[in-house]
């Protein structure tokens, strides 16, 4: 499959989408995943490892049985926006989040997703919003990871203290 990159206007809703190349001049508004334009919140689980340098997640679309995987990697704050640390209670971290629709194989990238609130936090951008409803730690987190995130190596010492955020997400469907 050929890979093409389609970029939007330079804001946090830029998508890099793995699809066949085609001519596009402007990204059209897209609905949220979940069945309607507003997007029903999707059940979602995020796994963070001890250093917080990356996370892995999975969201389910109950109306369509789609599964969306998330992989977040630490990145720097966006340079094109007026970002001021003084506007936040705690300094936010930013992730580049790769989303994949496991059914279709379509991947897209969200360049700057802000994480606020420490371990029991939320993710926020124009294209992705996640809020933690339940935080799993210690044995409960390790058990959850062992059942649902089997590729996370819990025997690695740097993964000794993971935490799991269970909550809901809204994800903007890529439109290219």
């Amino acid at each position: 499959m050929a890979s093409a990159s389609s970029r939007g206007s330079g804001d946090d809703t830029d998508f890099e989408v793995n699809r066949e190349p085609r001519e596009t001049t402007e990204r059209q508004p897209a609905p949220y995943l979940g069945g309607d334009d507003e997007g029903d919140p999707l059940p979602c689980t995020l796994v963070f490892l001890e250093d917080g340098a990356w996370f892995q997640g999975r969201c389910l679309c109950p109306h369509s049985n789609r599964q969306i995987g998330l992989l977040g990697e630490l990145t720097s704050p966006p340079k094109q926006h007026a970002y001021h640390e003084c506007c936040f209670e705690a300094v936010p971290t930013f992730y580049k989040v790769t989303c994949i629709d496991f059914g279709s194989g379509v991947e897209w990238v969200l360049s700057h997703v802000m994480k606020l609130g420490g371990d029991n936090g939320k993710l926020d951008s124009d294209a992705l919003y996640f809020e933690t409803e339940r935080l799993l730690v210690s044995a409960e987190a390790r058990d959850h990871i062992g059942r649902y995130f089997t590729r996370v190596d819990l025997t690695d010492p740097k993964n000794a203290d993971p935490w799991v955020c269970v909550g809901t997400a809204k994800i903007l469907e890529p439109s290219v």
Side-chain angles (χ1 to χ4, degrees):
M1 174 188 242
S3 178
S5 185
S6 175
R7 304 289 292 175
S9 62
D11 61 13
D12 287 345
T13 60
D14 285 358
F15 298 107
E16 295 173 14
V17 178
N18 181 14
R19 292 195 182 171
E20 293 296 321
R22 68 178 188 165
E23 289 296 317
T24 59
T25 55
E26 194 172 311
R27 187 172 46 79
Q28 298 297 315
Y32 283 90
L33 295 170
D36 59 29
D37 289 342
E38 293 297 313
D40 297 329
L42 307 175
C44 191
T45 301
L46 304 178
V47 172
F48 290 86
L49 298 176
E50 191 169 340
D51 64 0
W54 64 277
F55 69 85
Q56 182 178 351
R58 184 165 293 196
C59 300
L60 304 175
C61 302
H63 302 294
S64 64
N65 292 324
R66 290 168 70 187
Q67 291 189 41
I68 307 299
L70 305 173
L71 177 62
E73 302 169 281
L74 273 179
T75 190
S76 59
K79 295 183 186 341
Q80 71 271 23
H81 294 285
Y83 164 73
H84 302 286
E85 289 181 8
C86 62
C87 297
F88 302 94
E89 289 180 28
V91 178
T93 51
F94 289 88
Y95 289 91
K96 177 180 87 170
V97 178
T98 302
C99 305
I100 182 168
D101 182 326
F102 289 122
S104 67
V106 173
E107 294 182 23
W108 65 100
V109 175
L110 309 175
S111 55
H112 291 97
V113 176
M114 181 170 51
K115 181 178 181 289
L116 296 164
D119 293 351
N120 191 24
K122 62 182 173 181
L123 300 176
D124 195 7
S125 77
D126 291 340
L128 170 65
Y129 181 81
F130 171 85
E131 188 160 3
T132 301
E133 295 172 359
R134 185 168 175 228
L135 181 65
L136 309 179
V137 296
S138 304
E140 191 176 21
R142 295 173 69 76
D143 181 54
H144 188 85
I145 293 167
R147 276 190 279 152
Y148 301 109
F149 293 89
T150 57
R151 293 188 179 193
V152 174
D153 181 8
L154 293 174
T155 63
D156 186 334
K158 70 179 180 187
N159 299 340
D161 194 22
W163 68 97
V164 176
C165 297
V166 178
T168 56
K170 291 181 96 173
I171 305 171
L172 194 65
E173 177 102 46
S175 175
V176 292

